[in-house]
Amino acid sequence: MATHCLFFPTPNFCRRSITHRSAFSSRSIFFGASLKVHTNRNQLGRFSRSPTPIYCSSQEFDVVIVGAGIIGLTIARQFLTSSDLSVAIVDKALPCSGATGAGQGYLWMAHKTPGSDIWDLTWRSHQLWKMLAESLKEQGLNPTVELGWKKTGSLLVGRTKAQLDMLKGRVKQLNEAGLKAEYLCNSDLSELEPDLFVDKDSAGAFLPDDCQLDAYLTVSYIEKVNRSFASKGRYAEFYNEPVKRFIRSNSNGEVKAIETLSHTLHSKKGIIVAAGCWTGCLIQDSFRNWGMELDVPVRPRKGHLLVLQNFDYLQLNHGLMEAGYVDHPTLSDIESSEDGRSLSVSMTATVDAAGNLLIGSSREFVGFSTELDESVVRYIWKRVAEFFPKLELLSLSDLSANRKVRIGLRPYMPDGKPMIGPVPGLSNVYLAAGHEGGGLSMGHWRQDFIVLFLSLSHATTEQDIDKFIFVPVSDIFALGTAEMVADTVLGHPTKVDCAPFAVHRVLD
């Protein structure tokens, strides 16, 4: 008896208005981590799957992608729009499971370094996002509606002589690289951001053309594009289907298929693993049975982000981050610090398309733990208040009614570069993971978005539960990575040198 996969050509299952607020409970699993998401019950229809799915009995595809995050979905889109290949995407959970719009979606370049190993990929991805927004306009669509597109401009703020010298050099580098960048003295900075604390030692690097996206809307749009190929028999989704194992050919040893909970999916050209910080676990567990020890050194790095809904007490005209964000120094005096935790906090602040204030951010190594740490939230608030003194007049407890804390796991790589390309010895298996070094703007929450989690162990009521949502992972790298992966699989020259991201560099 033939098994079936579902094609979902209707894109409305995860559309939401920009101002939508989650409050309905659901649950799914992704690579061993649980996800609980809350959306308004009267909005449930917006998140429901198509009531009349199209069935297909095919179990063979040109490309099979493991991981339905922003990386996996954009890779699928790249194959579908630039070739005639068929694509299946597999995930142990669901994309857009209710909280994927939680990320900031920064497309900021102020803290990027021209000439670095990741610069060309960052620049290419940045241009592809802008090209996508322009193409929507040419189609008569509104990028703000489709993607949550917002031109914020970005400001990198310095407050010491060393930081000001760094900013001057960075502005020069960015201009030479083709970006529009300005060095702002303290008076210019104060005029641009009146609520920002500015003294004689303050200055900023300003990129007026930087933008940001709404991660949830962007993923929804990408899925809509992907599903438009379902009626042509070129696209299928296998969700709630954990990968059990990879299947090798007896003749040449290449991986020819993956076995999920209910299906065996054969691939004719390539299997791409884009599973964020779970990529290492998946590869190790799957390949160990072949006597292959592949140590993929991607690690989860936890982050907190504070969201104040409809917060108009603070005037914020652009996206801001402190100069210290560039190296994110480790704290030694934070209340909740523990040995080996390497906790750091830097100021970032922006207002999203819904009018919510997003402030952060923290980074720490605590394994796959996603528990809320109120001491980290307090430290974020304290750090941001040092830059915006008006906030010192407010108490976090007074803001509990409109406060949310987003917690997520970034896929960290020791050298700060993602892995993109074939796995040595398995030429038809490709990795696309480890983008912590550059989140949806390769900027703030540097993750692959792959999935969001909601930890509810501390919540006792539905109102409490609604305050805590895990940060998704979206990525300025996404479109550039998708293009690089597709070109590699198809045997085309890559637009960007792929050598810095080769998988063998971390396996040697």
Side-chain angles (χ1 to χ4, degrees), residues 122-141:
T122 306
W123 170 257
R124 177 62 180 168
S125 295
H126 191 259
Q127 294 304 109
L128 289 172
W129 281 117
K130 288 192 172 184
M131 290 163 60
L132 176 58
E134 288 300 318
S135 71
L136 291 176
K137 293 179 183 178
E138 293 171 1
Q139 298 171 48
L141 300 173

Side-chain angles (χ1 to χ4, degrees), residues 306-361:
L306 181 59
V307 181
L308 300 177
Q309 297 177 307
N310 303 314
F311 188 78
D312 57 5
Y313 180 75
L314 186 70
Q315 180 182 346
L316 197 63
N317 299 322
H318 305 86
L320 285 85
M321 64 177 63
E322 64 172 289
Y325 183 87
V326 174
D327 53 12
H328 234 273
T330 299
L331 302 175
S332 59
D333 58 349
I334 189 165
E335 176 183 338
S336 60
S337 289
E338 299 172 3
D339 291 341
R341 188 172 179 179
S342 299
L343 176 64
S344 63
V345 173
S346 294
M347 183 279 291
T348 65
T350 191
V351 175
D352 67 14
N356 303 315
L357 177 66
L358 312 179
I359 58 175
S361 66

Side-chain angles (χ1 to χ4, degrees), residues 2-15:
T3 56
H4 296 82
C5 66
L6 297 180
F7 286 124
F8 298 106
T10 302
N12 294 327
F13 87 101
C14 65
R15 293 290 289 181

Side-chain angles (χ1 to χ4, degrees), residues 6-280:
L6 297 180
F7 286 124
F8 298 106
T10 302
N12 294 327
F13 87 101
C14 65
R15 293 290 289 181
R16 64 162 171 79
S17 67
I18 292 179
T19 57
H20 171 66
R21 187 173 182 221
S22 298
F24 179 82
S25 179
S26 62
R27 180 180 177 87
S28 70
I29 307 293
F30 185 93
F31 290 120
S34 63
L35 164 64
K36 294 182 182 178
V37 177
H38 292 254
T39 60
N40 288 328
R41 287 181 170 84
N42 60 6
Q43 297 286 333
L44 181 58
R46 297 192 180 193
F47 294 87
S48 300
R49 293 287 180 177
S50 168
T52 56
I54 299 173
Y55 291 92
C56 174
S57 59
S58 175
Q59 302 287 284
E60 185 176 73
F61 301 87
D62 293 307
V63 177
V64 175
I65 300 169
V66 180
I70 189 70
I71 299 296
L73 290 170
T74 53
I75 291 172
R77 171 185 172 272
Q78 185 70 24
F79 279 113
L80 294 168
T81 58
S82 66
S83 75
D84 59 358
L85 300 185
S86 60
V87 179
I89 193 159
V90 181
D91 199 303
K92 192 173 182 178
L94 298 171
C96 282
S97 294
T100 45
Q104 310 93 306
Y106 298 169
L107 299 179
W108 297 354
M109 299 292 285
H111 61 301
K112 304 300 182 289
T113 304
S116 65
D117 284 342
I118 62 175
W119 173 259
D120 287 344
L121 182 59
T122 306
W123 170 257
R124 177 62 180 168
S125 295
H126 191 259
Q127 294 304 109
L128 289 172
W129 281 117
K130 288 192 172 184
M131 290 163 60
L132 176 58
E134 288 300 318
S135 71
L136 291 176
K137 293 179 183 178
E138 293 171 1
Q139 298 171 48
L141 300 173
N142 186 340
T144 300
V145 174
E146 299 295 329
L147 307 176
W149 185 267
K150 181 182 178 183
K151 184 177 178 180
T152 59
S154 65
L155 262 172
L156 190 61
V157 180
R159 302 198 297 183
T160 67
K161 184 180 184 304
Q163 289 177 347
L164 270 54
D165 290 341
M166 180 272 289
L167 293 178
K168 291 177 182 177
R170 185 170 295 270
V171 166
K172 183 176 183 293
Q173 285 181 305
L174 292 170
N175 278 310
E176 290 174 348
L179 289 171
K180 182 180 179 180
E182 306 172 28
Y183 179 81
L184 303 181
C185 64
N186 55 1
S187 59
D188 293 335
L189 189 60
S190 182
E191 182 177 353
L192 207 61
E193 292 291 343
D195 282 351
L196 179 68
F197 173 74
V198 175
D199 61 15
K200 63 181 180 61
D201 296 320
S202 299
F206 179 46
L207 275 68
D209 296 331
D210 275 357
C211 302
Q212 65 188 45
L213 302 171
D214 179 288
Y216 196 106
L217 292 178
T218 299
V219 167
S220 178
Y221 172 78
I222 292 170
E223 288 202 305
K224 178 173 66 174
V225 172
N226 291 351
R227 288 176 182 151
S228 69
F229 291 88
S231 61
K232 304 172 186 177
R234 291 184 53 205
Y235 181 67
E237 295 169 346
F238 296 84
Y239 293 153
N240 294 313
E241 288 285 347
V243 174
K244 295 172 61 179
R245 66 187 181 108
F246 290 73
I247 302 173
R248 300 182 77 179
S249 169
N250 292 328
S251 59
N252 57 18
E254 289 190 345
V255 178
K256 64 179 182 179
I258 63 169
E259 182 181 340
T260 71
L261 192 64
S262 307
H263 303 275
T264 299
L265 305 177
H266 293 264
S267 170
K268 292 185 285 187
K269 290 194 72 71
I271 294 172
I272 299 160
V273 181
C277 57
W278 293 269
T279 297

Side-chain angles (χ1 to χ4, degrees), residues 374-493:
E374 285 287 355
S375 67
V376 175
V377 176
R378 289 193 299 270
Y379 199 95
I380 290 174
W381 183 255
K382 176 184 176 183
R383 184 61 179 168
V384 175
E386 292 175 4
F387 287 83
F388 297 97
K390 287 178 65 174
L391 298 182
E392 295 177 351
L393 303 176
L394 301 176
S395 168
L396 274 176
S397 60
D398 296 333
L399 302 172
S400 59
N402 67 340
R403 187 194 92 162
K404 287 186 178 181
V405 178
R406 301 176 181 174
I407 307 169
L409 301 175
R410 308 177 181 93
Y412 165 85
M413 288 291 294
D415 64 1
K417 295 180 290 185
M419 302 169 290
I420 307 172
V423 177
L426 297 170
S427 59
N428 61 327
V429 176
Y430 303 81
L431 300 186
H435 294 74
E436 193 268 351
L440 186 119
S441 67
M442 183 182 165
H444 190 58
W445 293 109
R446 306 174 169 188
Q447 300 177 319
D448 280 11
F449 148 127
I450 298 295
V451 77
L452 317 181
F453 307 52
L454 179 60
S455 173
L456 302 179
S457 59
H458 55 277
T460 56
T461 69
E462 184 173 282
Q463 288 178 326
D464 291 330
I465 287 170
D466 190 41
K467 296 174 187 174
F468 303 98
I469 299 180
F470 279 82
V471 150
V473 191
S474 109
D475 193 345
I476 198 177
F477 272 160
L479 295 186
T481 296
E483 183 181 63
M484 182 179 291
V485 169
D487 284 341
T488 301
V489 173
L490 296 170
H492 298 163

